[in-house]
Amino acid sequence: MEQISIQLLKDFINKDFAMFLKTKDRSLVPRVREQYLRDINNYVENYLEDSALIDFKSFFAKHLIKRFLENRTGSTARAALTNFLELLCSADLRKIDLESYFRIKETIQSVKKTPKEKLVFLTEEDIDYIMHKTDFSTKQTQEKILTPLIVTLAYHMLFEQDHIYKLKRNDVKIEERKIRNLRHDYDESVDKWLEMDLYSYNVVKKYCDQYDGALDAPFVIIKGEPASNQTVNKMLHGVYRSTKNRSKLTTTVDVQKLIRSRILIDLRNTQGQSLMKFYEIMGMKRNTQLENALHQYLQEQQDIKQNN
């Protein structure tokens, strides 16, 4: 069975799968094609076992498909897997034989979505504790510098994991107190530079004073290696799931929760007036955390009206 490295697999997805989607069905609008690509890349980054090589049949292991579809709640996740399967079974490639194609397709279609759990948000008190009172053990010297950095990139800059690990040294301008908004690479309507407030500046400067590197090198380094999709949240989990910290918080901490909590807190504090600011940073394309926070805010406003 032919095997492929994870990096080559990602290249294949972003080039060959992207081209396949563009030519296979011209009725697919660009936004949907982009979402399919994000879905498959998410599958590779979060659900494939840590392995240098993988073959295409094990790519579609039933337990991986199940976990992905149970957690990836967007409406395109199932279709993204099916389309990627069709590409691999196409006459040009034949990476998947016909018998396996029908078996895998049946698996994709048969996995049932689990009911959505109610989304949880961090409170303002949680955020205050995270930023100013986090308890670090004497052994967590690296965590003491890296955790505030990840928190401020997620909460203040609204960066998701892929933004954090793609950030380069030359994207951070300490003297000018600003960080480049990586969303500007594919959406020029958003702000290109994001200003650091005093807290963010102090956190980022402290990190830069400790870790140095070439201008084109990855900015966030975790345990001597460039940050990855997995290690960013793993760092937060390691700190905030400790008994001391967890007992002081209303919920767990991860990048997605920090982003949507920041948006919700700002919407509450400005009576919704800050919404345009978030569009200027995140763009008008669909963003799950922005949608989640806005939905929660509007639901709260509706509840207030009904109770008055």
Side-chain angles (χ1 to χ4, degrees):
M1 177 65 63
E2 180 187 351
Q3 293 186 313
I4 186 172
S5 71
I6 295 297
Q7 186 54 56
L8 285 176
L9 177 59
K10 288 182 176 181
D11 293 342
F12 175 79
I13 290 166
N14 293 318
K15 181 181 178 182
D16 296 72
F17 186 45
M19 183 58 67
F20 174 76
L21 292 173
K22 198 171 183 179
T23 56
K24 172 202 174 233
D25 186 349
R26 296 188 182 277
S27 66
L28 279 179
V29 297
R31 181 180 61 82
V32 174
R33 294 200 301 265
E34 289 168 9
Q35 187 58 50
Y36 283 173
L37 290 172
R38 283 195 290 269
D39 287 333
I40 295 298
N41 276 306
N42 178 275
Y43 184 88
V44 171
E45 291 169 358
N46 293 301
Y47 297 93
L48 294 187
E49 277 81 1
D50 293 332
S51 174
L53 297 171
I54 189 166
D55 64 73
F56 286 112
K57 280 191 179 179
S58 61
F59 179 96
F60 289 106
K62 187 172 183 177
H63 70 283
L64 298 179
I65 294 173
K66 187 173 186 295
R67 280 173 50 209
F68 174 69
L69 293 178
E70 285 176 347
N71 290 286
R72 190 78 169 174
T73 55
S75 60
T76 58
R78 198 182 304 267
L81 279 179
T82 302
N83 275 278
F84 191 58
L85 175 64
E86 288 182 8
L87 168 62
L88 296 176
C89 190
S90 64
D92 292 338
L93 291 179
R94 293 295 185 196
K95 302 289 186 184
I96 297 284
D97 61 78
L98 207 54
E99 182 181 345
S100 298
Y101 167 81
F102 286 114
R103 175 179 53 79
I104 294 167
K105 188 172 183 180
E106 173 60 27
T107 299
I108 294 171
Q109 298 304 319
S110 65
V111 173
K112 294 181 180 179
K113 282 190 176 181
T114 53
K116 262 190 178 182
E117 293 183 10
K118 185 177 180 181
L119 276 175
V120 178
F121 294 80
L122 293 155
T123 66
E124 289 194 66
E125 291 74 19
D126 289 332
I127 296 300
D128 182 67
Y129 179 86
I130 289 167
M131 291 187 180
H132 304 292
K133 303 169 188 175
T134 298
D135 186 277
F136 295 98
S137 71
T138 54
K139 293 181 180 180
Q140 291 179 314
T141 54
Q142 189 181 58
E143 287 85 344
K144 196 170 183 178
I145 294 173
L146 272 169
T147 301
L149 177 71
I150 293 171
V151 167
T152 203
L153 290 175
Y155 189 81
H156 292 108
M157 304 300 152
L158 303 171
F159 282 178
E160 302 193 35
Q161 291 106 301
D162 63 332
H163 301 125
I164 293 172
Y165 72 73
K166 288 177 181 176
L167 203 64
K168 303 292 184 185
R169 289 267 170 183
N170 55 8
D171 293 323
V172 180
K173 308 293 184 184
I174 288 292
E175 298 79 9
E176 300 172 49
R177 298 194 179 193
K178 62 185 184 181
I179 297 177
R180 194 169 71 84
N181 185 1
L182 301 193
R183 293 183 176 93
H184 190 269
D185 291 345
Y186 53 85
D187 184 356
E188 293 185 356
S189 69
V190 304
D191 292 340
K192 185 174 182 178
W193 294 97
L194 306 175
E195 293 184 6
M196 292 185 245
D197 62 6
L198 183 59
Y199 175 88
S200 298
Y201 170 75
N202 288 333
V203 165
V204 175
K205 188 175 187 307
K206 186 175 182 180
Y207 172 79
C208 289
D209 289 343
Q210 295 285 329
Y211 297 92
D212 197 12
L215 288 177
D216 60 349
F219 180 64
V220 182
I221 304 296
I222 299 177
K223 294 184 178 179
E225 298 291 335
S228 69
N229 204 40
Q230 291 85 359
T231 58
V232 169
N233 268 334
K234 189 175 181 180
M235 175 67 68
L236 297 179
H237 294 163
V239 172
Y240 292 110
R241 287 183 179 177
S242 69
T243 303
K244 282 187 177 180
N245 289 320
R246 183 67 183 90
S247 64
K248 299 293 197 310
L249 299 169
T250 61
T251 182
T252 55
V253 181
D254 58 56
V255 169
Q256 291 81 3
K257 199 174 292 181
L258 284 164
I259 294 171
R260 66 174 178 262
S261 299
R262 156 71 193 287
I263 298 170
L264 178 60
I265 289 169
D266 273 26
L267 289 173
R268 286 170 175 166
N269 291 338
T270 64
Q271 289 78 51
Q273 296 299 309
S274 59
L275 181 59
M276 184 54 65
K277 174 181 68 178
F278 294 119
Y279 282 125
E280 290 170 352
I281 295 172
M282 307 174 85
M284 299 297 291
K285 294 180 181 179
R286 184 179 182 189
N287 183 283
T288 302
Q289 301 314 321
L290 178 56
E291 288 181 5
N292 289 336
L294 182 57
H295 175 79
Q296 177 67 20
Y297 174 73
L298 293 174
Q299 185 61 57
E300 290 174 359
Q301 296 305 301
Q302 186 66 29
D303 293 342
I304 291 170
K305 285 181 180 179
Q306 289 178 351
N307 293 329
N308 285 340

